[in-house]
Structures are given as C-alpha cells and as structure tokens.
Amino acid sequence: MVPLLFDSVFGMVIHAAGRPISRTAFLHVDYRKIVPVEKVLQVDAGIDDVIDRKIFVSGRLLDGDQVLAEAHSLFVKLKPGQP
C-alpha cells in the first residue's frame, strides 16, 4: 500500500505543478519504520528536478516527526499521441 500511496501523491504533485501528463518509469521505496494502520499520517513530496522529458520526484511518509518511509521516482512526460 505504501508504494501505491507514493505513486499517487507523486502524480498529484506533478499535476499540481502544471507539468504535462506523465507516467511512472521508476519508483523506489525505503522503509524506515513499521507503518501503523488506522492512523492519520503525513506525506511530504516535491519535484526535485526536470530534465527534458524526465521528472524526478521524492517524498517522505511521516508519523509526527518520525520518518516511516522515503521514496524517490522518475516520471516521463508523454509524447504527443501517447496514451
């Protein structure tokens, strides 16, 4: 569930930044602590760099000040006509 959360949030970050439609090319998650269930958590995420069609995004899943997981990813902007 944690990778799905990151993938979804990263896509929203790219969309909110006004970037063109893109797809996930790579997603890596590092688990730091056990993620509790049925608890409100926080996700911090942002765009690190944009190079040509590549968009690099990273973020953290937090329980207060504790980092539960960190992720970084590569999204690729679609070319015209790509689904």
Side-chain angles (χ1 to χ4, degrees), residues 34-83:
I34 295 173
V35 177
V37 295
E38 298 183 15
K39 186 170 185 182
V40 176
L41 303 172
Q42 179 181 344
V43 178
D44 290 336
I47 296 174
D48 298 325
D49 202 1
V50 178
I51 302 172
D52 297 323
R53 294 177 52 219
K54 298 176 182 177
I55 305 170
F56 297 90
V57 187
S58 64
R60 302 179 307 161
L61 178 62
L62 303 161
D63 181 6
D65 292 337
Q66 290 189 3
V67 177
L68 303 176
E70 297 174 302
H72 61 276
S73 66
L74 167 63
F75 283 72
V76 178
K77 297 178 200 174
L78 296 181
K79 292 181 180 179
Q82 282 185 312

